[in-house]
Amino acid sequence: MDHKENARIFVRGIVQGVGFRPFIYNLANSLRLTGWIANTSKGVVMEIEGGGESINKFLRELRENHPPLAAIEGLDVSPGQIKGYEEFSIRGSLLEEEKLALISPDVATCDLCFADFTDPSNRRYNYPFTNCTNCGPRYTIIEEIPYDRERTTMRHFEMCPQCAEEYRSPTNRRFHAEPNACPICGPKLSLLNRRGEAIGGANPLEETVRLLKEGEILAVKGLGGFHLACDASNDRSVRLLRERKKRPHKPFALMAPSPEAIEEFCELNDAEREILRSHQAPIVLLRKRTPSQISPSVAPDNRYLGVMLPYTPLHHLIFQGGFLALVMTSANLQDEPIVADNREALSKLKRLADFFLVHNREIYNRTDDSVLSVVEKKVYMIRRSRGFAPEPLNLDFDVLPTLACGAELKNTFCLAQGRYAFLGPHIGDLNNLEALRFFEETIERYKRYFSIDPQIVSYDLHPDYLSTRYARNLDGKITKIPVQHHHAHIASCLAENSIRDHAIGVAFDGVGWGGDGSIWGGEFLIANCKEFINCGHIERVPMPGGDAATRRPARMALSYLHTHFGEDRAMWKELLPSLSEGEMRVILRQIERGINSPLTSSVGRLFDTVSSLLGLVDLVTFEGQAAIALEMVADPSEDGRYEYDLYDDGKGIVVGFRPLFRGVLDDISLGVSKGRISARFHNALADVIAEVSSSLRDRYSVSLVALSGGVFQNRCLLERTLPLLRDRGFRVLIHSRVPCNDGGIALGQMVVANEVYR
Ligand code: ZN
Ligand code: ZN
Ligand code: FE
């Protein structure tokens, strides 16, 4: 007889709520191994006994063929005494003192569940809340850990005998599937009118489809909150939704039933297809095909559409109605967080939606859809939320318990300890009472979930950010460390690329508090995760009216023209027809007397200026609109560029744009197309990055470049900059899992604060 051995195995990572124990149970049985497995609050622990050969095979299978949603982060194996187990069993959870189980993000419907609810002979036929250990709600329903049904919002539903049987059977796909449910015992749909009265009789889904086809706008309760939905090929509905939402231009996200459907209106490569179909099911920004059946009002003047696939059974069932695509935009009042509660939906969304498709499974944690694009076949995160939060980023160094409060717009926070950095979900614009409440409440929940009691709090230098005020007002024994905005951007990029060395940090964004009285936004830093020096920037010009200049690009354009060409009213009138005589006078006075006109090196405002000179956008209704408009017209075949000046002001390199503006103005008067002008501008900026980086490499002997800041959401700029830098022999770091925009700031703040504290 084969010599028997015993092994005790401890697995860390995402191993709960992902079908891990049934997998182990079946694997052990197939190899005739005995022993047991149990969840602990830190992972799973098991003991196995059997032949050495079989144990090795078991370990190999465990590493290589574990369930797709499991993420093994650590595996300890140690030999033990033979206990003589007769069979393999699954034991109850072992509660331990120290909690550090990871919480699984929500998971898009799996193929097996899809097969269940589309099979007329299955008891879950057409059931919109079908799920299993491989898919379904997780983070959004978890109130406390460890993850068991009685600590989720599913605790209100008592399982019927059949569901309970599935839940108890180790070989069943629904073994310990905490949200397990069926039409008899689980959550139910209802369709309501604006008065909250149920309509649609016994079949709310059929009625929903009918209403959408008729062009109505519905609020649909999903996984992390409500969507406002309408037929994306019905231009009248899409325009009505814009009007009601008071959102004239900002693109709406779409949901389409399949990759094949998406190909009818977008280009799709293999990497994009794979990410669309991933279990995170994010919104992916895809190149539009035109013409198509999608209403042009979905994303006016944009070359991209944000599209996702159905990620809950409810979505799949709605698409059985035969839509090419639906608009599915987060349901909220301007700048407020996404609405998640039925009663809140009926009161807040009554002017936005005609009908409400709701259900009685509560959403405990709100999460917006995540948004990303695919750059060089890799994920390039724009908004990290549903499907990703609260999965931590793994650090390759230890950090103290730290809270980083993020920025003001696109706020996310970061709570970290040891080697884990937990980035919160997308909170949004903090300058809003509801959002601030959401921010504070979610921080408290994360502290509880992951048992982190921050010793350090880090925050932006900007004194008026509400995240800064929140941090400064924290009581107790906590070390407060402010971190400069652009340093945080670069540190975030370095940290996610596991880089500890110095890099040339190119931080291009809208605006950030510089700490020297000016507003930064076009900075060249030499930085690591601890410190930085600002060794170059684009020229600083007055930003007349402060934030007012962000809304009216022409104000900024006037400032640049005044800086480079002096007072020339005839020229201004011709180039900036949207500014009245009176406005010009006011702006000029602001600039000359320095009233509310801080100097800024913002690349965002530079884009606004060129956009305004080309007459693209008069009034900005969403962040980045003028810059996006400029990107969207760029002619890809143009490879010329404008000139610029480089000089040293004694403190570092300064990029001057007088020759650039001369070129733009000449091209305008020659009638050169907007597409060419825009492309020449983008090419000039890419060249600026390469040229300044080369000078800095000579001075500081650093040949690593990190690109961060919201401007690098601009694919046109990014795709022109990368080859230029690589041709010159630079190694270039870009973001992937963390946004380059202010949604990624918190990670940078967290690592800098830890390095400074040491
Ligand atoms: Zn499933
Ligand atoms: Zn049931
Ligand atoms: Fe920023």
Side-chain angles (χ1 to χ4, degrees), residues 13-29:
I14 297 189
V15 289
Q16 297 183 16
V18 291
F20 202 77
R21 286 176 303 171
F23 159 75
I24 292 294
Y25 178 88
N26 291 323
L27 179 61
N29 281 326

Side-chain angles (χ1 to χ4, degrees), residues 568-580:
D568 183 346
R569 281 174 192 259
M571 176 207 219
W572 299 348
K573 265 191 191 156
E574 195 190 320
L575 286 164
L576 306 169
S578 71
L579 287 183
S580 70

Side-chain angles (χ1 to χ4, degrees), residues 68-139:
L69 296 178
I72 296 182
E73 287 173 357
L75 186 76
D76 298 323
V77 185
S78 50
Q81 295 284 323
I82 299 288
K83 312 282 191 332
Y85 297 112
E86 308 223 315
E87 54 172 21
F88 194 88
S89 61
I90 296 178
R91 295 187 175 174
S93 295
L94 308 176
L95 287 174
E96 286 170 37
E97 299 260 301
E98 190 195 338
K99 296 197 274 184
L100 218 150
L102 302 183
I103 292 178
S104 167
D106 300 275
V107 183
T109 305
C110 75
D111 294 344
L112 292 171
C113 284
F114 181 83
D116 285 348
F117 65 76
T118 51
D119 171 6
S121 69
N122 191 289
R123 71 190 191 92
R124 289 190 174 82
Y125 181 55
N126 278 348
Y127 184 55
F129 305 95
T130 305
N131 65 79
C132 74
T133 47
N134 298 320
C135 75
R138 297 288 187 276
Y139 168 64

Side-chain angles (χ1 to χ4, degrees), residues 10 116 121 192 198 205-206 247 272 285 295 344 372 393 482 489 500 517 539 551 557 582 634:
F10 181 71
D116 285 348
S121 69
L192 310 176
L205 259 172
E206 246 169 54
R247 177 165 150 169
E272 289 162 340
L285 300 181
S295 150
E344 190 190 4
L372 54 84
L393 298 172
H489 271 305
R500 311 278 276 160
E539 62 186 3
R551 286 187 295 277

Side-chain angles (χ1 to χ4, degrees), residues 642-698:
Y642 297 117
E643 297 296 320
Y644 52 87
D645 292 325
L646 285 186
Y647 55 94
D648 197 310
D649 69 351
K651 287 184 245 157
I653 299 167
V654 180
V655 187
F657 290 124
R658 200 177 134 82
L660 180 140
F661 282 109
R662 190 70 269 160
V664 171
L665 299 190
D666 288 348
D667 278 352
I668 290 174
S669 64
L670 287 169
V672 174
S673 74
K674 292 176 184 181
R676 287 188 175 248
I677 295 175
S678 167
R680 287 173 186 173
F681 169 74
H682 279 85
N683 292 342
L685 218 50
D687 201 74
V688 163
I689 295 170
E691 202 52 44
V692 175
S693 298
S694 295
S695 299
L696 294 175
R697 174 167 58 188
D698 295 343

Side-chain angles (χ1 to χ4, degrees), residues 407 465 485-486 489 508-512 709-710 740-742 745:
Y465 279 3
H485 189 92
H486 302 90
H489 271 305
F508 282 7
D509 67 356
V511 287
C740 64
N741 58 48
D742 284 5
I745 284 270

Side-chain angles (χ1 to χ4, degrees), residues 123-124 158-164 166 180-186:
R123 71 190 191 92
R124 289 190 174 82
E158 199 186 325
M159 275 185 272
C160 69
Q162 266 180 295
C163 285
E166 294 167 338
N180 189 28
C182 78
I184 294 164
C185 65

Side-chain angles (χ1 to χ4, degrees), residues 544-589:
D547 283 344
T550 305
R551 286 187 295 277
R552 285 293 300 282
R555 296 180 79 102
M556 215 43 225
L558 183 57
S559 176
Y560 267 107
L561 293 179
H562 180 262
T563 300
H564 290 302
F565 307 110
E567 199 169 327
D568 183 346
R569 281 174 192 259
M571 176 207 219
W572 299 348
K573 265 191 191 156
E574 195 190 320
L575 286 164
L576 306 169
S578 71
L579 287 183
S580 70
E581 190 74 37
E583 279 178 303
M584 282 193 195
R585 249 195 327 271
V586 172
I587 296 168
L588 205 58
R589 199 160 49 218

